[in-house]
Amino acid sequence: MLSLSNKGLRLLTGLLTLSLILGVLAVAGITVYLAVLAVQGDFSLLLVFPEGLQFTQTVRSASLGSFLLYSVLLLATLVLGLLFLYLLRSILHTLSRSKGFTQTLPSKITNMGYILLALAYAKQLLLVLVFTQDLGELSGLLGFRFQLLPNEAVYALILLVLARVFSYAFALQREYEQTV
């Protein structure tokens, strides 16, 4: 059975803490960057790819309204991603401090599942907003197909099932502790 020592869990928790700090700084920087673009009248949309945000190739938005809608959705997506990392860090922190299942573990995993589900469709919506704009020189290079059930949504459903399993395991653990 694969298990991590408390030292390993603390190391992962520290790594996720560092990731959260860098993520918050990145989101703050992107917010400032998008605000500067809006003030300058340059409505360039940052492209979202599986590898991350694309700064070098941008698509110009047709209007300020579509630029603002895309920017708000992009920032909300990034904040949801940070919230997902925070919940994962919180789970690892709890596991390093306690033995066995805790009462908060199933609810945190459930929240992670719902966040991942929202992220899956927010990314799809971001891509729909980009591909409704004039792609210019990128029109022949990029393509997009809306998926009713993206991979991230499947992962979210797996997390939701896992949360129910942990909830049942916690109930069994509590019942066992009351019996002994």
Side-chain angles (χ1 to χ4, degrees):
M1 182 172 147
L2 178 67
S3 64
L4 289 173
S5 65
N6 277 349
K7 184 178 178 184
L9 287 173
R10 283 194 305 269
L11 183 65
L12 283 174
T13 304
L15 185 63
L16 283 172
T17 302
L18 179 64
S19 297
L20 280 169
I21 292 169
L22 292 175
V24 166
L25 292 174
V27 169
I30 290 170
T31 303
V32 169
Y33 177 74
L34 291 171
V36 167
L37 285 179
V39 168
Q40 290 177 345
D42 180 14
F43 305 138
S44 298
L45 303 177
L46 300 175
L47 299 178
V48 178
F49 291 123
E51 306 85 40
L53 289 176
Q54 181 71 24
F55 284 91
T56 57
Q57 297 291 332
T58 58
V59 174
R60 236 174 115 63
S61 179
S63 68
L64 176 63
S66 62
F67 174 77
L68 290 177
L69 178 65
Y70 182 85
S71 298
V72 168
L73 184 60
L74 175 66
L75 291 173
T77 302
L78 293 173
V79 168
L80 279 175
L82 288 176
L83 184 58
F84 184 88
L85 283 179
Y86 173 77
L87 287 171
L88 182 59
R89 183 203 169 279
S90 175
I91 287 172
L92 290 176
H93 182 72
T94 302
L95 288 176
S96 70
R97 300 258 183 235
S98 65
K99 299 211 183 291
F101 299 107
T102 62
Q103 192 171 4
T104 61
L105 185 65
S107 66
K108 288 179 183 177
I109 294 175
T110 301
N111 290 340
M112 286 175 64
Y114 288 133
I115 288 171
L116 191 57
L117 194 62
L119 283 172
Y121 289 107
K123 189 170 100 175
Q124 294 274 322
L125 187 57
L126 282 170
L127 289 171
V128 165
L129 288 173
V130 165
F131 282 91
T132 58
Q133 308 301 318
D134 179 24
L135 296 177
E137 63 192 38
L138 297 175
S139 62
L141 301 174
L142 298 176
F144 170 68
R145 189 180 72 228
F146 187 83
Q147 298 174 344
L148 289 177
L149 191 61
N151 291 338
E152 294 89 355
V154 174
Y155 303 147
L157 295 174
I158 291 171
L159 273 178
L160 292 172
V161 169
L162 187 64
R164 296 298 295 168
V165 169
F166 275 112
S167 179
Y168 181 68
F170 178 70
L172 287 177
Q173 177 184 347
R174 192 175 32 197
E175 183 179 315
Y176 173 76
E177 289 171 355
Q178 289 175 353
T179 312
V180 173

